[in-house]
Amino acid sequence: MAFRPLPAKAPAVLLREAKPLKAIFGHAKRLGHLQRLLDSQLQPAAREHCHVASWREGSLLLIVTDGHWATRLRYQQKRLLRQLLAFEEFANLTRILFKVQPPTVQVGVKGHTLDLSTDAAATIQATADGISDPNLRAALERLAAHARPKD
């Protein structure tokens, strides 16, 4: 007896019908909605640093990217609590908690540019000319090739 896999379903169908996926998708939509409501009450500069993590039993947990923004938001906590209570989604909000969690994805760090003067490049090239090891010589020649062109 051969095993026949079930026919593939479209992702939209899976999200509507599969109970575990439906629950996860519903929770993600709810958090997205709460995030939009929160963003409407935050200062524009703070929006990218503050994200809704959970909402249960009257407590709103917000993830903040660094301690600086957490401190600023704690100073505004009472005002933010009052403003969020105006929304029916936050009707039983009793407290706002802040947790500092740096982003897991590193923001693209600008690579170090090598500024090498022409004199330094000439010295490195002269050193490379006197080296008999081919690997070391090639590495020194590549380094000397990074010389900054004269203006």
Side-chain angles (χ1 to χ4, degrees), residues 6-18 21-22:
L6 297 172
K9 293 182 179 180
V13 172
L14 285 174
L15 289 174
R16 282 192 309 268
E17 294 176 1
L21 290 177
K22 186 177 181 180

Side-chain angles (χ1 to χ4, degrees), residues 72-84:
R72 287 184 68 171
L73 289 167
R74 281 187 187 106
Y75 280 120
Q76 300 174 22
Q77 185 172 3
K78 287 182 182 179
R79 176 194 59 83
L80 188 59
L81 183 66
R82 272 193 323 271
Q83 289 175 325
L84 290 176

Side-chain angles (χ1 to χ4, degrees), residues 31-81:
L31 286 179
H33 177 65
L34 295 176
Q35 180 69 46
R36 285 188 298 278
L37 292 175
L38 175 69
D39 286 346
S40 72
Q41 301 306 313
L42 289 175
Q43 298 170 346
R47 291 177 187 154
E48 66 182 272
H49 301 283
C50 184
H51 304 284
V52 175
S54 70
W55 163 239
R56 50 176 97 99
E57 299 171 3
S59 293
L60 178 64
L61 176 62
L62 301 177
I63 300 294
V64 186
T65 58
D66 58 41
H68 165 78
W69 283 104
T71 301
R72 287 184 68 171
L73 289 167
R74 281 187 187 106
Y75 280 120
Q76 300 174 22
Q77 185 172 3
K78 287 182 182 179
R79 176 194 59 83
L80 188 59
L81 183 66

